[in-house]
Amino acid sequence: MIKTLDPTTIPQPELYSILSTAVAPRPICFASTVDAEGNVNLSPYSFFNVFSSNPPVMVFSPTRSGRDNSLKHTHQNVVEVPEVVINVVNHKMAEQMSLSSTAYGKDVNEFVKAGFTEVPSVKVKPPRVGESPVSFECSVLEVVELGQIPGAGNLVIAQVDMIHINDEYLTDDVLDTEKLDLVGRMGGNWYIRAIKESLFEIPKPIRTHGIGVDALPKGIRQSDVLTGNNLGRLGNLESVPSTADIKTIVANEGVENASKTELHTMAKNLLEEGNTEKAMAYLLFAESL
């Protein structure tokens, strides 16, 4: 049963909860800014992503307060001084990052309150976070206000002018996903950690075009054993094994007498091991039973 909701009829806190819980995990923009007087601010935002690589552009959104409709200090600062350093957040700094989100006064430096190290930037006025694995010095191209009511976003469009990478997180001079140990924002008080156990790889679609799930026989598409992930992997094959190849594979593996369900189960295991062609041979042989 599906619960269908009109967002215009939902209280703002409930709507925010649905959006922030369903659209997740979200990367965290740990934004350092300064105001016209040079006061430093540091605050995290999870309405954030990278939107272009050439030119390199990132966008994040400090929303209006859902309680009193006030603007975030970050928003005010980038209007006064259109510069920001976007620092990424990993697990070892997550609790400090969360502490910095406290609604301190505008004259309070969250670097100090949360115990972070200010490091001078090269091209922009705001300092970067010394503990961050990667920091991006950015010039603010535009601030787009999406509304004047509580919860309304303010898109800060920022172009990357300088990148700082802690070489602790490099392998062969390339950023290493496992070493980064990044965290993402979920709904409520929840976060997610990108550790090895939660990471998985998916081969990119082949350039010559895969056969597609629609090309699979109905018995495979409607299998009670195979998952959507399994079907997607099969659909990325460039071609299916020939009848002769199927017979050879089945004979060599000694599975001629297996039932259809057994063949589907073995094929599923092969797919999860990355042996897609052999799995396809098992499945197509099952279709002939």
Side-chain angles (χ1 to χ4, degrees):
M1 198 167 180
I2 301 295
K3 182 178 182 180
T4 301
L5 303 168
D6 180 342
T8 63
T9 66
I10 304 172
Q12 190 274 328
E14 182 182 348
L15 179 57
Y16 175 84
S17 176
I18 293 170
L19 293 172
S20 62
T21 302
V23 184
R26 300 183 304 282
I28 298 170
C29 163
F30 203 18
S32 47
T33 58
V34 296
D35 64 15
E37 283 71 49
N39 295 308
V40 175
N41 181 267
L42 178 65
S43 189
Y45 299 94
S46 66
F47 288 3
F48 160 65
N49 220 309
V50 57
F51 286 84
S52 172
S53 61
N54 189 22
V57 173
M58 298 179 175
V59 179
F60 68 99
S61 179
T63 61
R64 285 176 173 268
S65 170
R67 297 185 183 91
D68 60 12
N69 198 32
S70 61
L71 294 171
K72 298 292 194 297
H73 296 150
T74 300
H75 179 187
Q76 297 171 338
N77 287 357
V78 296
V79 171
E80 293 180 20
V81 179
E83 298 175 342
V84 60
V85 179
I86 294 176
N87 307 276
V88 303
V89 179
N90 66 357
H91 186 261
K92 67 171 65 174
M93 58 188 287
E95 293 273 358
Q96 288 174 279
M97 174 275 299
S98 177
L99 177 60
S100 73
S101 68
T102 304
Y104 294 114
K106 198 173 191 298
D107 60 341
V108 173
N109 185 339
E110 288 83 1
F111 273 91
V112 176
K113 282 294 185 182
F116 284 115
T117 305
E118 287 188 42
V119 179
S121 295
V122 175
K123 291 189 174 183
V124 300
K125 295 181 182 68
R128 58 189 175 89
V129 176
E131 291 76 9
S132 176
V134 187
S135 297
F136 302 92
E137 294 184 27
C138 304
S139 53
V140 174
L141 303 178
E142 187 178 2
V143 179
V144 181
E145 297 186 357
L146 302 180
Q148 306 294 320
I149 57 178
N154 301 281
L155 304 185
V156 178
I157 303 172
Q159 180 168 308
V160 178
D161 298 324
M162 188 68 69
I163 303 171
H164 304 276
I165 302 173
N166 185 330
D167 61 13
E168 174 185 342
Y169 302 97
L170 299 174
T171 298
D172 298 328
D173 210 34
V174 175
L175 265 176
D176 189 314
T177 294
E178 290 185 41
K179 287 183 178 179
L180 278 172
D181 195 15
L182 298 178
V183 295
R185 195 70 171 88
M186 307 296 286
N189 292 332
W190 292 99
Y191 290 79
I192 191 167
R193 183 179 182 183
I195 56 177
K196 184 175 177 60
E197 289 75 14
S198 64
L199 297 172
F200 62 96
E201 289 186 287
I202 300 175
K204 292 187 182 299
I206 56 176
R207 293 185 179 275
T208 51
H209 298 166
I211 60 172
V213 173
D214 60 326
L216 301 174
K218 183 178 180 181
I220 297 176
R221 295 198 312 272
Q222 297 182 355
S223 170
D224 292 330
V225 176
L226 302 177
T227 67
N229 286 335
N230 298 147
L231 297 179
R233 183 66 63 91
L234 292 167
N236 195 37
L237 278 173
E238 186 173 11
S239 60
V240 300
S242 67
T243 301
D245 287 339
I246 293 171
K247 290 181 179 179
T248 299
I249 291 172
V250 169
N252 288 343
E253 297 298 321
V255 295
E256 308 99 312
N257 298 320
S259 69
K260 188 170 184 176
T261 298
E262 289 172 333
L263 287 164
H264 276 232
T265 300
M266 289 186 285
K268 177 179 173 62
N269 293 333
L270 287 169
L271 287 166
E272 292 171 355
E273 295 168 1
N275 199 333
T276 310
E277 293 184 2
K278 185 184 288 187
M280 179 67 92
Y282 280 28
L283 293 167
L284 291 175
F285 179 72
E287 286 299 293
S288 67
L289 298 179

